[in-house]
Coordinates of all heavy atoms in Angstrom, one line a residue:
M1 N 11.9 47.4 -7.6 CA 13.2 47.3 -8.2 C 14.3 47.5 -7.2 O 14.2 48.4 -6.4 CB 13.4 48.2 -9.4 CG 12.5 47.9 -10.6 SD 13.0 46.4 -11.3 CE 12.4 46.5 -12.9
A2 N 15.4 46.8 -7.4 CA 16.6 46.9 -6.6 C 17.8 47.4 -7.5 O 17.7 47.2 -8.7 CB 16.9 45.6 -5.9
I3 N 18.8 47.8 -6.9 CA 20.0 48.2 -7.6 C 21.1 47.2 -7.3 O 21.4 46.9 -6.2 CB 20.5 49.6 -7.2 CG1 19.4 50.7 -7.4 CG2 21.8 50.0 -7.9 CD1 19.1 50.9 -8.9
C4 N 21.8 46.7 -8.4 CA 22.9 45.7 -8.3 C 24.1 46.4 -7.7 O 24.5 47.5 -8.1 CB 23.2 45.1 -9.6 SG 24.6 44.0 -9.6
E5 N 24.6 45.8 -6.6 CA 25.8 46.4 -6.0 C 27.1 46.2 -6.8 O 28.1 46.8 -6.4 CB 26.0 45.7 -4.6 CG 24.8 46.1 -3.7 CD 24.9 45.5 -2.3 OE1 26.1 45.3 -1.8 OE2 23.9 45.3 -1.6
M6 N 27.1 45.4 -7.8 CA 28.3 45.2 -8.7 C 28.2 46.1 -9.9 O 29.2 46.8 -10.2 CB 28.4 43.8 -9.1 CG 28.9 42.9 -7.9 SD 29.2 41.2 -8.5 CE 30.6 41.4 -9.5
C7 N 27.1 46.1 -10.6 CA 27.1 46.8 -11.9 C 26.2 48.1 -11.9 O 26.3 48.9 -12.8 CB 26.6 45.9 -13.0 SG 24.9 45.4 -12.9
G8 N 25.4 48.2 -10.8 CA 24.6 49.4 -10.7 C 23.3 49.4 -11.5 O 22.5 50.4 -11.4
R9 N 23.0 48.3 -12.2 CA 21.7 48.2 -12.9 C 20.5 47.9 -12.0 O 20.7 47.2 -11.0 CB 21.8 47.2 -14.0 CG 22.6 47.6 -15.2 CD 22.6 46.6 -16.2 NE 23.5 45.5 -15.8 CZ 23.7 44.4 -16.4 NH1 23.1 44.1 -17.5 NH2 24.5 43.5 -15.9
E10 N 19.4 48.3 -12.4 CA 18.1 48.0 -11.7 C 17.8 46.5 -12.1 O 18.0 46.1 -13.2 CB 17.0 48.9 -12.1 CG 17.1 50.3 -11.5 CD 15.8 51.1 -11.7 OE1 14.9 50.5 -12.3 OE2 15.8 52.2 -11.3
F11 N 17.2 45.8 -11.1 CA 16.8 44.4 -11.4 C 15.6 44.1 -10.5 O 15.4 44.7 -9.4 CB 17.9 43.4 -11.3 CG 18.4 43.2 -9.9 CD1 18.0 42.1 -9.2 CD2 19.3 44.1 -9.3 CE1 18.5 41.9 -7.9 CE2 19.7 43.9 -8.0 CZ 19.3 42.8 -7.3
N12 N 14.9 43.1 -10.9 CA 13.7 42.5 -10.1 C 14.3 41.4 -9.2 O 14.7 40.4 -9.7 CB 12.7 42.0 -11.1 CG 11.5 41.5 -10.4 OD1 11.6 40.7 -9.5 ND2 10.3 42.0 -10.8
I13 N 14.2 41.7 -7.9 CA 14.8 40.7 -7.0 C 14.1 39.3 -7.0 O 14.8 38.3 -7.1 CB 14.7 41.2 -5.5 CG1 15.7 42.4 -5.4 CG2 15.0 40.2 -4.5 CD1 15.6 43.1 -4.0
S14 N 12.8 39.3 -7.1 CA 12.1 38.0 -7.1 C 12.4 37.2 -8.4 O 12.6 36.0 -8.3 CB 10.6 38.1 -6.9 OG 10.0 38.9 -7.9
R15 N 12.5 37.9 -9.5 CA 12.8 37.2 -10.7 C 14.3 36.7 -10.7 O 14.5 35.6 -11.1 CB 12.6 38.1 -11.9 CG 12.7 37.4 -13.2 CD 12.4 38.1 -14.5 NE 11.6 39.3 -14.3 CZ 11.7 40.4 -15.0 NH1 12.6 40.5 -16.0 NH2 11.0 41.5 -14.8
M16 N 15.2 37.5 -10.1 CA 16.6 37.0 -10.0 C 16.7 35.8 -9.1 O 17.3 34.9 -9.4 CB 17.4 38.2 -9.5 CG 18.9 37.9 -9.4 SD 19.5 37.0 -8.0 CE 19.1 38.0 -6.7
E17 N 16.0 35.9 -7.9 CA 16.0 34.8 -7.0 C 15.5 33.5 -7.6 O 16.1 32.4 -7.4 CB 15.2 35.1 -5.7 CG 15.8 36.2 -4.9 CD 15.0 36.6 -3.7 OE1 13.7 36.4 -3.8 OE2 15.5 37.2 -2.8
D18 N 14.4 33.6 -8.4 CA 13.9 32.4 -9.1 C 14.9 31.9 -10.1 O 15.1 30.7 -10.2 CB 12.6 32.7 -9.8 CG 11.4 33.0 -8.8 OD1 11.5 32.6 -7.7 OD2 10.4 33.6 -9.3
H19 N 15.5 32.7 -10.9 CA 16.4 32.3 -11.9 C 17.7 31.7 -11.3 O 18.1 30.6 -11.6 CB 16.8 33.5 -12.8 CG 17.8 33.2 -13.8 ND1 17.5 32.5 -15.0 CD2 19.1 33.5 -13.9 CE1 18.6 32.4 -15.7 NE2 19.6 33.0 -15.1
I20 N 18.3 32.4 -10.4 CA 19.6 32.0 -9.9 C 19.4 30.8 -8.9 O 20.1 29.8 -8.9 CB 20.4 33.1 -9.2 CG1 20.7 34.2 -10.2 CG2 21.6 32.6 -8.5 CD1 21.6 33.7 -11.4
G21 N 18.4 30.9 -8.1 CA 18.1 29.9 -7.1 C 17.8 28.5 -7.8 O 18.3 27.5 -7.4
S22 N 17.0 28.6 -8.9 CA 16.7 27.3 -9.6 C 17.9 26.8 -10.4 O 18.0 25.6 -10.6 CB 15.5 27.6 -10.5 OG 15.8 28.5 -11.5
K23 N 18.8 27.7 -10.8 CA 19.9 27.3 -11.6 C 21.0 26.8 -10.8 O 21.6 25.7 -11.1 CB 20.4 28.5 -12.5 CG 21.5 28.2 -13.4 CD 21.8 29.4 -14.3 CE 22.9 29.1 -15.3 NZ 22.4 29.0 -16.6
F24 N 21.4 27.4 -9.7 CA 22.5 27.1 -8.9 C 22.2 26.5 -7.5 O 23.0 26.0 -6.8 CB 23.5 28.2 -8.7 CG 24.0 28.8 -10.0 CD1 23.9 30.1 -10.3 CD2 24.6 28.0 -10.9 CE1 24.3 30.6 -11.5 CE2 25.1 28.5 -12.1 CZ 25.0 29.8 -12.4
G25 N 20.9 26.8 -7.1 CA 20.5 26.4 -5.7 C 20.4 27.6 -4.8 O 21.2 28.5 -4.9
Y26 N 19.4 27.6 -4.0 CA 19.2 28.7 -3.1 C 20.3 28.9 -2.1 O 20.6 30.0 -1.6 CB 17.8 28.6 -2.4 CG 16.7 28.8 -3.5 CD1 16.1 27.7 -4.1 CD2 16.3 30.1 -3.9 CE1 15.1 27.9 -5.1 CE2 15.3 30.2 -4.9 CZ 14.8 29.1 -5.5 OH 13.8 29.3 -6.4
D27 N 20.9 27.8 -1.7 CA 22.1 28.0 -0.7 C 23.2 28.7 -1.4 O 23.9 29.6 -0.8 CB 22.6 26.6 -0.3 CG 21.6 25.9 0.7 OD1 20.8 26.6 1.3 OD2 21.7 24.7 0.8
E28 N 23.4 28.4 -2.7 CA 24.5 29.1 -3.4 C 24.1 30.6 -3.6 O 25.0 31.4 -3.5 CB 24.7 28.5 -4.8 CG 25.9 28.9 -5.5 CD 27.2 28.6 -4.8 OE1 27.3 27.5 -4.3 OE2 28.1 29.5 -4.8
L29 N 22.9 30.9 -3.8 CA 22.5 32.3 -3.9 C 22.8 33.0 -2.6 O 23.3 34.2 -2.6 CB 21.0 32.4 -4.2 CG 20.4 33.8 -4.3 CD1 21.1 34.6 -5.3 CD2 18.9 33.7 -4.6
E30 N 22.5 32.4 -1.5 CA 22.8 33.0 -0.2 C 24.3 33.2 0.0 O 24.8 34.2 0.5 CB 22.2 32.2 0.9 CG 20.7 32.3 1.0 CD 20.2 33.7 1.1 OE1 20.7 34.5 1.9 OE2 19.3 34.1 0.3
N31 N 25.1 32.3 -0.5 CA 26.6 32.4 -0.4 C 27.0 33.6 -1.3 O 27.9 34.4 -0.8 CB 27.3 31.2 -0.9 CG 27.1 30.0 0.0 OD1 26.8 30.2 1.2 ND2 27.2 28.8 -0.5
I32 N 26.5 33.8 -2.4 CA 26.8 34.9 -3.3 C 26.4 36.2 -2.6 O 27.2 37.2 -2.6 CB 26.1 34.8 -4.7 CG1 26.7 33.6 -5.5 CG2 26.2 36.1 -5.5 CD1 25.9 33.2 -6.7
R33 N 25.2 36.3 -2.1 CA 24.8 37.5 -1.4 C 25.7 37.8 -0.2 O 26.0 39.0 0.1 CB 23.4 37.3 -0.9 CG 22.4 37.5 -2.0 CD 21.0 37.5 -1.5 NE 20.0 37.9 -2.5 CZ 18.8 37.6 -2.5 NH1 18.3 36.8 -1.6 NH2 18.0 38.0 -3.4
R34 N 26.1 36.8 0.5 CA 27.0 37.0 1.7 C 28.3 37.5 1.2 O 28.9 38.4 1.8 CB 27.2 35.7 2.4 CG 28.0 35.8 3.7 CD 28.4 34.5 4.3 NE 29.3 33.8 3.5 CZ 29.0 32.6 2.9 NH1 27.9 32.0 3.2 NH2 29.9 32.0 2.1
D35 N 28.8 37.0 0.1 CA 30.1 37.4 -0.4 C 30.2 38.8 -1.1 O 31.1 39.6 -0.9 CB 30.7 36.4 -1.4 CG 31.0 35.1 -0.7 OD1 31.1 35.0 0.5 OD2 31.1 34.1 -1.5
V36 N 29.1 39.1 -1.9 CA 29.2 40.4 -2.6 C 28.0 41.3 -2.5 O 28.0 42.4 -3.0 CB 29.4 40.1 -4.2 CG1 30.7 39.4 -4.4 CG2 28.2 39.3 -4.7
G37 N 27.0 40.9 -1.7 CA 25.8 41.7 -1.5 C 24.7 41.4 -2.5 O 24.6 40.3 -3.1
N38 N 23.8 42.3 -2.6 CA 22.6 42.2 -3.4 C 22.9 42.5 -4.9 O 23.2 43.6 -5.2 CB 21.5 43.1 -2.9 CG 20.1 42.6 -3.3 OD1 19.9 41.5 -3.6 ND2 19.2 43.5 -3.3
V39 N 22.9 41.4 -5.7 CA 23.4 41.6 -7.1 C 22.3 41.0 -8.1 O 21.5 40.2 -7.7 CB 24.7 40.9 -7.4 CG1 25.8 41.6 -6.6 CG2 24.7 39.4 -7.1
C40 N 22.4 41.5 -9.3 CA 21.5 41.1 -10.4 C 21.9 39.7 -10.8 O 22.9 39.1 -10.4 CB 21.5 42.0 -11.6 SG 23.1 42.1 -12.5
D41 N 21.0 39.0 -11.6 CA 21.3 37.6 -12.0 C 22.6 37.5 -12.8 O 23.3 36.6 -12.7 CB 20.1 37.0 -12.7 CG 19.7 37.8 -14.0 OD1 19.9 39.0 -14.1 OD2 19.0 37.1 -14.8
E42 N 22.9 38.5 -13.7 CA 24.1 38.4 -14.5 C 25.3 38.5 -13.6 O 26.3 37.7 -13.8 CB 24.1 39.5 -15.6 CG 23.1 39.2 -16.7 CD 23.1 40.3 -17.8 OE1 24.2 40.9 -18.0 OE2 22.1 40.5 -18.4
C43 N 25.3 39.4 -12.7 CA 26.5 39.5 -11.8 C 26.6 38.3 -10.9 O 27.7 37.8 -10.5 CB 26.4 40.8 -11.0 SG 26.7 42.3 -12.0
A44 N 25.4 37.8 -10.4 CA 25.4 36.6 -9.6 C 26.0 35.4 -10.4 O 26.8 34.6 -9.8 CB 24.0 36.2 -9.1
M45 N 25.7 35.3 -11.6 CA 26.3 34.2 -12.5 C 27.8 34.4 -12.6 O 28.6 33.5 -12.6 CB 25.6 34.2 -13.8 CG 24.2 33.6 -13.8 SD 23.3 33.6 -15.3 CE 24.4 33.5 -16.6
S46 N 28.2 35.7 -12.8 CA 29.6 36.0 -12.9 C 30.4 35.5 -11.6 O 31.4 34.9 -11.7 CB 29.8 37.5 -13.1 OG 31.1 37.9 -13.0
V47 N 29.8 35.9 -10.5 CA 30.4 35.5 -9.2 C 30.4 33.9 -9.1 O 31.5 33.4 -8.7 CB 29.7 36.1 -8.0 CG1 30.1 35.5 -6.7 CG2 29.8 37.6 -8.0
Y48 N 29.3 33.3 -9.4 CA 29.3 31.8 -9.3 C 30.3 31.2 -10.2 O 31.1 30.3 -9.7 CB 27.9 31.3 -9.7 CG 27.8 29.8 -9.7 CD1 27.6 29.2 -8.5 CD2 28.1 29.1 -10.8 CE1 27.5 27.8 -8.5 CE2 28.0 27.7 -10.8 CZ 27.7 27.1 -9.6 OH 27.7 25.7 -9.6
Y49 N 30.4 31.6 -11.4 CA 31.4 31.0 -12.3 C 32.8 31.3 -12.0 O 33.7 30.5 -12.1 CB 31.1 31.4 -13.8 CG 29.9 30.7 -14.4 CD1 28.9 31.5 -14.9 CD2 29.8 29.3 -14.4 CE1 27.8 30.8 -15.5 CE2 28.7 28.7 -14.9 CZ 27.6 29.5 -15.4 OH 26.5 28.8 -16.0
A50 N 33.0 32.5 -11.5 CA 34.4 32.8 -11.0 C 34.8 32.0 -9.8 O 35.9 31.5 -9.7 CB 34.5 34.3 -10.6
D51 N 33.9 31.7 -8.9 CA 34.1 30.9 -7.8 C 34.3 29.4 -8.1 O 35.0 28.7 -7.4 CB 33.0 31.0 -6.7 CG 33.1 32.3 -6.0 OD1 34.1 33.1 -6.1 OD2 32.1 32.7 -5.3
H52 N 33.6 29.0 -9.2 CA 33.6 27.5 -9.5 C 34.4 27.2 -10.8 O 34.3 26.1 -11.3 CB 32.1 27.1 -9.6 CG 31.4 27.1 -8.3 ND1 30.8 28.2 -7.9 CD2 31.2 26.2 -7.4 CE1 30.3 28.0 -6.7 NE2 30.5 26.8 -6.4
E53 N 35.1 28.2 -11.3 CA 35.8 28.0 -12.6 C 36.7 26.8 -12.5 O 36.8 26.0 -13.4 CB 36.6 29.3 -12.9 CG 37.4 29.2 -14.1 CD 38.2 30.5 -14.3 OE1 38.4 31.2 -13.4 OE2 38.6 30.7 -15.5
Q54 N 37.4 26.6 -11.4 CA 38.4 25.5 -11.3 C 37.7 24.2 -11.0 O 38.4 23.2 -11.2 CB 39.4 25.9 -10.2 CG 40.2 27.1 -10.5 CD 41.0 27.6 -9.3 OE1 40.8 27.2 -8.2 NE2 41.8 28.6 -9.6
D55 N 36.4 24.2 -10.7 CA 35.7 23.0 -10.4 C 35.2 22.3 -11.7 O 34.8 21.2 -11.6 CB 34.5 23.2 -9.5 CG 35.0 23.7 -8.1 OD1 36.2 23.5 -7.8 OD2 34.2 24.2 -7.4
T56 N 35.2 23.0 -12.8 CA 34.7 22.4 -14.0 C 35.8 21.9 -14.9 O 36.9 22.5 -15.0 CB 33.9 23.4 -14.8 OG1 34.8 24.5 -15.2 CG2 32.7 24.0 -14.1
Q57 N 35.6 20.7 -15.4 CA 36.7 20.1 -16.2 C 37.0 20.8 -17.5 O 38.1 21.0 -17.9 CB 36.3 18.6 -16.5 CG 37.4 17.8 -17.2 CD 37.0 16.4 -17.3 OE1 35.9 16.0 -17.0 NE2 37.9 15.6 -17.8
D58 N 35.9 21.2 -18.2 CA 36.1 21.9 -19.5 C 36.1 23.4 -19.4 O 36.4 24.1 -20.3 CB 34.9 21.5 -20.4 CG 34.9 20.0 -20.7 OD1 36.0 19.4 -20.8 OD2 33.8 19.5 -20.9
G59 N 35.8 23.9 -18.2 CA 35.7 25.4 -18.0 C 34.5 26.0 -18.6 O 33.6 25.3 -19.0
I60 N 34.5 27.3 -18.7 CA 33.3 28.0 -19.2 C 33.5 28.3 -20.7 O 34.6 28.5 -21.1 CB 33.2 29.3 -18.4 CG1 31.9 30.1 -18.7 CG2 34.4 30.2 -18.5 CD1 31.6 31.2 -17.8
S61 N 32.4 28.3 -21.4 CA 32.5 28.6 -22.8 C 32.9 30.0 -23.1 O 32.6 30.9 -22.2 CB 31.2 28.3 -23.6 OG 30.2 29.3 -23.3
V62 N 33.5 30.3 -24.2 CA 33.8 31.7 -24.5 C 32.6 32.6 -24.6 O 32.6 33.8 -24.3 CB 34.7 31.8 -25.8 CG1 33.9 31.4 -27.0 CG2 35.3 33.2 -26.0
Y63 N 31.5 32.0 -25.0 CA 30.2 32.8 -25.2 C 29.7 33.2 -23.8 O 29.3 34.3 -23.6 CB 29.2 32.0 -26.0 CG 29.7 31.6 -27.3 CD1 30.2 30.3 -27.6 CD2 29.9 32.6 -28.3 CE1 30.7 30.0 -28.8 CE2 30.4 32.3 -29.6 CZ 30.8 31.0 -29.8 OH 31.4 30.7 -31.0
D64 N 29.7 32.2 -22.9 CA 29.2 32.5 -21.5 C 30.2 33.5 -20.8 O 29.8 34.5 -20.2 CB 29.1 31.3 -20.7 CG 27.9 30.4 -21.0 OD1 27.0 30.9 -21.7 OD2 27.9 29.2 -20.7
A65 N 31.5 33.3 -21.0 CA 32.5 34.2 -20.5 C 32.3 35.6 -21.0 O 32.4 36.6 -20.3 CB 33.9 33.7 -20.8
A66 N 32.0 35.7 -22.3 CA 31.9 37.0 -22.9 C 30.7 37.8 -22.3 O 30.7 39.0 -22.1 CB 31.7 36.9 -24.4
L67 N 29.6 37.1 -22.1 CA 28.4 37.7 -21.5 C 28.7 38.2 -20.1 O 28.3 39.2 -19.6 CB 27.2 36.7 -21.5 CG 26.6 36.5 -22.9 CD1 25.6 35.4 -22.8 CD2 26.1 37.7 -23.6
I68 N 29.4 37.3 -19.3 CA 29.7 37.7 -17.9 C 30.7 38.9 -17.9 O 30.5 39.8 -17.2 CB 30.3 36.5 -17.2 CG1 29.2 35.4 -17.0 CG2 30.9 36.9 -15.9 CD1 29.8 34.0 -16.6
W69 N 31.7 38.8 -18.8 CA 32.6 39.9 -18.9 C 31.9 41.2 -19.3 O 32.2 42.3 -18.7 CB 33.7 39.5 -20.0 CG 34.7 40.5 -20.2 CD1 35.7 41.0 -19.4 CD2 35.0 41.1 -21.5 NE1 36.5 41.9 -20.0 CE2 36.1 42.0 -21.3 CE3 34.4 41.0 -22.8 CZ2 36.6 42.7 -22.4 CZ3 34.9 41.8 -23.8 CH2 36.0 42.6 -23.6
Q70 N 31.0 41.2 -20.2 CA 30.3 42.4 -20.6 C 29.4 42.9 -19.5 O 29.4 44.1 -19.2 CB 29.4 42.0 -21.8 CG 28.6 43.2 -22.4 CD 27.8 42.8 -23.6 OE1 27.1 41.8 -23.5 NE2 27.8 43.7 -24.6
S71 N 28.7 42.0 -18.8 CA 27.8 42.4 -17.7 C 28.6 43.0 -16.5 O 28.1 43.7 -15.7 CB 26.9 41.3 -17.2 OG 27.7 40.3 -16.5
S72 N 29.9 42.6 -16.4 CA 30.7 43.1 -15.3 C 31.4 44.5 -15.7 O 32.2 44.9 -14.9 CB 31.8 42.1 -14.9 OG 32.8 42.1 -15.9
G73 N 31.0 45.0 -16.8 CA 31.6 46.3 -17.2 C 33.0 46.1 -17.8 O 33.9 46.9 -17.7
Y74 N 33.2 44.9 -18.4 CA 34.5 44.5 -19.0 C 35.7 44.5 -18.0 O 36.8 44.9 -18.3 CB 34.8 45.5 -20.2 CG 33.7 45.5 -21.2 CD1 32.8 46.6 -21.2 CD2 33.6 44.5 -22.1 CE1 31.8 46.6 -22.1 CE2 32.5 44.5 -23.0 CZ 31.6 45.6 -23.0 OH 30.6 45.6 -23.9
D75 N 35.3 43.9 -16.9 CA 36.3 43.8 -15.8 C 37.4 42.7 -16.2 O 37.0 41.6 -16.5 CB 35.6 43.4 -14.5 CG 36.5 43.3 -13.3 OD1 37.7 43.3 -13.4 OD2 35.9 43.1 -12.2
E76 N 38.6 43.1 -16.1 CA 39.7 42.2 -16.4 C 39.7 40.9 -15.6 O 40.2 39.9 -16.0 CB 41.1 42.9 -16.3 CG 41.3 43.9 -17.3 CD 42.7 44.6 -17.1 OE1 43.4 44.3 -16.2 OE2 42.9 45.5 -17.9
D77 N 39.2 41.0 -14.4 CA 39.1 39.8 -13.5 C 38.0 38.9 -13.9 O 37.9 37.8 -13.3 CB 38.9 40.3 -12.0 CG 40.1 41.0 -11.5 OD1 41.2 40.7 -11.9 OD2 39.9 41.8 -10.6
Q78 N 37.2 39.2 -14.8 CA 36.1 38.4 -15.3 C 36.3 37.9 -16.7 O 35.3 37.7 -17.4 CB 34.7 39.2 -15.2 CG 34.4 39.7 -13.8 CD 34.2 38.5 -12.8 OE1 33.6 37.5 -13.2 NE2 34.6 38.7 -11.6
M79 N 37.5 37.6 -17.1 CA 37.8 37.2 -18.5 C 38.0 35.7 -18.6 O 38.0 35.2 -19.7 CB 39.0 38.0 -19.0 CG 38.7 39.4 -19.2 SD 40.2 40.4 -19.7 CE 40.4 39.9 -21.3
F80 N 38.0 35.0 -17.5 CA 38.1 33.5 -17.4 C 39.2 32.9 -18.3 O 39.0 31.9 -18.9 CB 36.7 32.9 -17.8 CG 35.6 33.4 -16.9 CD1 34.8 34.5 -17.3 CD2 35.4 32.8 -15.7 CE1 33.8 34.9 -16.4 CE2 34.4 33.2 -14.8 CZ 33.6 34.3 -15.2
G81 N 40.3 33.6 -18.4 CA 41.4 33.1 -19.2 C 41.4 33.4 -20.7 O 42.3 33.0 -21.4
F82 N 40.3 34.0 -21.2 CA 40.2 34.4 -22.6 C 40.8 35.7 -22.8 O 41.0 36.6 -21.9 CB 38.7 34.4 -23.0 CG 38.1 33.1 -23.0 CD1 37.3 32.7 -21.9 CD2 38.3 32.1 -24.0 CE1 36.6 31.5 -21.9 CE2 37.6 30.9 -24.0 CZ 36.8 30.6 -22.9
T83 N 41.2 36.0 -24.1 CA 41.7 37.3 -24.4 C 40.6 38.3 -24.7 O 39.5 37.8 -25.0 CB 42.7 37.2 -25.6 OG1 41.9 36.9 -26.8 CG2 43.8 36.2 -25.5
E84 N 40.9 39.5 -24.7 CA 39.9 40.5 -25.0 C 39.4 40.3 -26.4 O 38.2 40.5 -26.7 CB 40.5 41.9 -24.9 CG 39.5 43.0 -25.0 CD 40.1 44.4 -24.7 OE1 41.0 44.5 -23.9 OE2 39.6 45.4 -25.3
N85 N 40.2 40.0 -27.4 CA 39.8 39.7 -28.7 C 38.8 38.6 -28.8 O 37.8 38.6 -29.5 CB 41.0 39.5 -29.7 CG 41.7 40.8 -30.0 OD1 41.2 41.9 -29.9 ND2 43.0 40.6 -30.3
E86 N 39.1 37.5 -28.1 CA 38.3 36.3 -28.1 C 36.9 36.6 -27.6 O 35.8 36.3 -28.1 CB 38.9 35.2 -27.3 CG 40.1 34.6 -27.9 CD 40.8 33.6 -26.9 OE1 40.9 33.9 -25.7 OE2 41.3 32.6 -27.4
L87 N 36.9 37.4 -26.5 CA 35.6 37.8 -25.9 C 34.8 38.7 -26.7 O 33.6 38.6 -26.9 CB 35.8 38.4 -24.5 CG 36.5 37.4 -23.5 CD1 36.9 38.1 -22.2 CD2 35.5 36.3 -23.1
N88 N 35.5 39.7 -27.3 CA 34.8 40.6 -28.2 C 34.2 39.9 -29.4 O 33.1 40.2 -29.8 CB 35.7 41.7 -28.7 CG 35.8 42.8 -27.7 OD1 34.9 43.2 -27.0 ND2 37.0 43.3 -27.5
R89 N 34.9 38.9 -30.0 CA 34.4 38.2 -31.1 C 33.2 37.3 -30.7 O 32.2 37.2 -31.5 CB 35.5 37.2 -31.7 CG 36.4 37.9 -32.6 CD 37.3 37.0 -33.4 NE 37.9 35.9 -32.6 CZ 39.2 36.0 -32.1 NH1 39.9 37.1 -32.4 NH2 39.7 35.1 -31.4
A90 N 33.2 36.8 -29.5 CA 32.0 36.0 -29.0 C 30.8 36.9 -28.8 O 29.7 36.4 -28.9 CB 32.4 35.3 -27.7
L91 N 31.0 38.2 -28.6 CA 29.8 39.1 -28.4 C 29.2 39.5 -29.7 O 28.1 40.0 -29.7 CB 30.3 40.3 -27.6 CG 30.6 40.1 -26.2 CD1 31.2 41.3 -25.6 CD2 29.4 39.6 -25.4
I92 N 29.8 39.2 -30.8 CA 29.3 39.7 -32.1 C 28.2 38.7 -32.6 O 28.2 37.6 -32.4 CB 30.4 39.8 -33.2 CG1 31.4 40.9 -32.7 CG2 29.9 40.1 -34.5 CD1 32.6 41.0 -33.6

């Protein structure tokens, strides 16, 4: 087990690599690691979406944003333009 450098949770590195690498590509995973260090899959997704938020036409869904926001410890920089109320409602 490894410790996420963003949220402090333990995670399985090989499972995270398989999940994130297959979802976004192994090159993207290396970019994330270079930028923020060794992180769990939820934090890696948070970083990916934050970096690519402007590249998507429709943006991120409130449900995905809420999960990322929650996994980041409710970081204001991870709200993707939604309000706290909108994100809290999506988590219910």
